[in-house]
Amino acid sequence: MGDLSGYKGAALRLLEKAGAAVGDVLEVRTPWGAVAGTLVPRYLYGDGEHVVLKLKSGYNVGLSLEDISEVSVSAKGEKPSFSAPPSPEPPEGLPRVLVIGTGGTIASRIDYRTGAVRPAVTSEELRSLVPELSQVARVDPEIMFDIMSENVTPAHWTKLAGRVAKAVGEGADGVVITHGTDTLGYTAAALSFALAGVPIPVILVGAQRSPDRPSSDAPLNLIAAVSVAGTANFSGVYVAMHLGESDDRIALHRGTRVRKNHTSRRDAFESVDVPLAAVWGRGGLEHVADGLPPRGREFEPSLRFDGRAALLKFYPSMPGALVRAARRSGAKIIIMEGTGLGHVSKEVAKELRSFIRSGGVACMTSQCIRGRTDLSVYDTGRDLIHMGVLPLGDMLPETALAKAMWVLGTGARGEKARKLMAEELAGETTARTFPG
Ligand code: ASP
C-alpha cells in the first residue's frame, strides 16, 4: 500500500480503494466535471472528509467527499522527499548568526510537486532554501517552536528571550527570529523590553506569501534579516519586512513601534509615527536612522513574562461586564484601547475605577493607532485621570500589552507596575509625534 500521509476516515478508505498514494496524479469526478491533480499529503489535524489535490496551476484544492463520485489514478508518482542539493561551505570570516525558527511559513521547505511543508532544520537545508545566505553569514539554525503565531504566548516570549540572551553569551554576532506575521509585532515589542540593551542586532522576520509561491517575500526578507543581524553596526530589536510591493528593499522597523497594517500585502508592516530604523537594499544597508544604539552595550536582561494582563477594545455599548471578566480572569493590568484621544463610556469607566481601587493598573491607549492619548481635553477624559487611569501617550496598544506582561514578569504590582508602565524603557513612546 502506498503512502497516504495524513489521510484518515472515509477519505483514507476511498483513496485506498482507488489504489492511490501521495504523489500520484488522480482524476476525481465531481458534479461540476473531472478535476485532475497530484495527491497532496494532509496535515496532522486535517479531517477525514476531504481529498487535497495540487492542480497544474500550483494551487491546492480540497475536494469534499460529498462531491466526489469516483477517483482514479492516472499516473503513479514517487513518494515526495526532499534532499538538499550540495551547497558550498560558507567562506571563513563571515559573521555568525543564530536563526531561530518559531513557525509560520517563512522558513518552511516546500516540496513543489506535492505542496508538503516542513520547517528547514539543518544549515544545509536552510542554505539550499536561500542559497544567498552562504555569502552573508555562517548561519546556525535552530527550530524552537513550529506554531502559527496566533498561538504564541508570553511563555514563548520568555523562552525566546532566554535563548537570545544565551546566544549573546555564546558570542553570536546577531540573531534572526523567523515568526508568523500575525503576532510578529507583539513578539517584537515583548523582546524589546526583555532584551533592552541587547548588544547585538535581533531581527524578527516573517513572510506574507509562502515560499511555494513565485511572489514569495520569504527569501529576500530572510537574506536582509541575516545580513543586518550579522553586519549592522547597531544593536536592538527590529522587524525586517518588505518596504514596498517590489522585491528589492526591506524596511527595518523598531520593535516597539511596528504594526501589521494590511492582511496580505508584502509591505503590510509599518512603523507608526516614527521614522524607519533602516532600509536594506540588495547591496546592503542603504539608510540607517540617526541615534540607533551601537553594538556592544551593557546588558542586564529581565527575561520573564507574566500573562496576567488584558487588552480591551472599547466600542459603543461595550458592557462593563467585559472589564469585570478580565479582572476575574486574573488580570493585574488592563490596557484599554479607547476611542479618539482615549475615551470610554461611563459604564466602562465605572468598572475601571473599581478595578483600580482593588489594586489593578488601568492604562489608556487609542484605537486611532496614530497620534497620542490626551485625557485633559474632555470631561470624560478628566474623570479617567482622576480615577487613576494612566494615559500611555502614543504607545501602540499591542506594545502596551506586551510591556504590561513584561512588567508583571519582573514581579512589579500596583504602584510599582504603574510607574514602570509610565516610564519609557525601550522606545515605546516618543516625545513628539512624527512627523510633527
Ligand atoms: N497566521 C500565520 C501566522 O501568523 C501567518 C503567517 O505565517 O505569516 O503564523
Side-chain angles (χ1 to χ4, degrees):
M1 184 56 58
D3 172 64
L4 284 168
S5 301
Y7 284 96
K8 53 181 142 187
L12 178 66
R13 288 194 293 278
L14 178 74
L15 291 168
E16 279 177 348
K17 216 172 120 208
V22 163
D24 289 350
V25 179
L26 305 188
E27 190 169 287
V28 176
R29 296 212 168 275
T30 71
W32 55 88
V35 182
T38 306
L39 184 66
V40 167
R42 296 231 51 204
Y43 298 102
L44 187 61
Y45 302 114
D47 62 24
E49 306 300 320
H50 290 83
V51 167
V52 183
L53 297 183
K54 180 167 276 292
L55 306 178
K56 250 202 172 128
S57 63
Y59 283 100
N60 289 354
V61 62
L63 298 165
S64 165
L65 292 193
E66 279 176 15
D67 296 325
I68 298 178
S69 49
E70 199 190 322
V71 174
S72 58
V73 177
S74 34
K76 289 306 279 179
E78 270 166 42
K79 187 176 176 212
S81 69
F82 168 69
S83 56
S87 55
E89 271 296 306
E92 284 302 313
L94 286 178
R96 289 195 56 176
V97 175
L98 171 67
V99 178
I100 300 173
T102 68
T105 52
I106 169 148
S108 297
R109 177 72 221 187
I110 301 283
D111 183 299
Y112 284 86
R113 195 167 52 81
T114 66
V117 180
R118 69 187 179 88
V121 187
T122 64
S123 352
E124 274 292 290
E125 286 175 0
L126 198 60
R127 264 190 262 135
S128 78
L129 176 67
V130 188
E132 294 94 323
L133 287 182
S134 315
Q135 305 309 311
V136 178
R138 289 187 78 83
V139 172
D140 297 320
E142 195 172 304
I143 304 296
M144 282 189 73
F145 323 116
D146 188 14
I147 51 178
M148 286 292 162
S149 76
E150 45 274 38
N151 294 318
V152 168
T153 66
H156 294 104
W157 296 340
T158 300
K159 286 190 187 138
L160 272 175
R163 182 63 190 95
V164 175
K166 192 166 158 235
V168 170
E170 291 163 352
D173 292 298
V175 176
V176 168
I177 299 172
T178 66
H179 196 289
T181 55
D182 288 0
T183 66
L184 188 63
Y186 290 81
T187 300
L191 294 184
S192 302
F193 294 105
L195 298 168
V198 67
I200 58 174
V202 177
I203 314 292
L204 288 106
V205 61
Q208 285 283 82
R209 316 260 166 92
S210 60
D212 60 343
R213 296 174 65 176
S215 61
S216 176
D217 48 339
L220 199 71
N221 288 350
L222 195 57
I223 292 164
V226 169
S227 154
V228 172
T231 61
N233 58 13
F234 54 82
S235 60
V237 178
Y238 304 91
V239 168
M241 291 290 288
H242 267 54
L243 175 65
E245 277 281 68
S246 60
D247 206 32
D248 54 3
R249 286 200 168 68
I250 301 299
L252 273 294
H253 304 274
R254 296 159 214 257
T256 50
R257 303 289 320 171
V258 60
R259 202 162 187 281
K260 181 175 180 178
N261 280 344
H262 198 280
T263 54
S264 58
R265 281 176 67 109
R266 306 206 279 188
D267 56 355
F269 282 77
E270 289 173 346
S271 287
V272 180
D273 286 350
V274 292
L276 291 175
V279 174
W280 182 95
R282 287 183 185 267
L285 278 166
E286 292 179 352
H287 163 78
V288 177
D290 289 337
L292 297 187
R295 279 179 180 266
R297 299 178 286 166
E298 283 300 311
F299 181 44
E300 263 185 55
S302 174
L303 304 170
R304 238 180 65 77
F305 289 87
D306 177 334
R308 285 176 292 173
L311 171 58
L312 300 180
K313 181 172 188 141
F314 171 75
Y315 55 91
S317 86
M318 178 182 196
L322 288 184
V323 177
R324 287 202 298 279
R327 198 172 148 183
R328 251 185 258 122
S329 78
K332 307 279 178 235
I333 301 180
I334 293 179
I335 310 292
M336 287 303 309
E337 217 182 280
T339 53
L341 293 168
H343 301 125
V344 294
S345 64
K346 285 196 169 71
E347 183 181 345
V348 169
K350 202 175 113 219
E351 292 301 335
L352 291 177
R353 182 193 289 121
S354 68
F355 174 63
I356 293 167
R357 284 192 177 149
S358 74
V361 178
C363 303
M364 185 61 69
T365 62
S366 173
Q367 50 194 253
C368 291
I369 301 303
R370 299 196 58 192
R372 324 171 67 83
T373 54
D374 188 344
L375 301 186
S376 65
V377 179
Y378 300 102
D379 279 0
T380 43
R382 290 197 195 144
D383 288 347
L384 291 173
I385 291 276
H386 281 134
M387 62 183 70
V389 172
L390 177 68
L392 293 182
D394 65 349
M395 201 185 306
L396 293 171
E398 300 84 3
T399 294
L401 179 75
K403 180 175 182 180
M405 291 178 171
W406 175 80
V407 163
L408 294 171
T410 67
R413 298 285 183 273
E415 203 36 50
K416 206 169 155 209
R418 191 176 191 279
K419 231 179 122 224
L420 282 173
M421 286 305 295
E423 238 174 80
E424 200 250 273
L425 302 172
E428 68 275 27
T429 49
T430 68
R432 195 172 66 90
T433 301
F434 174 83

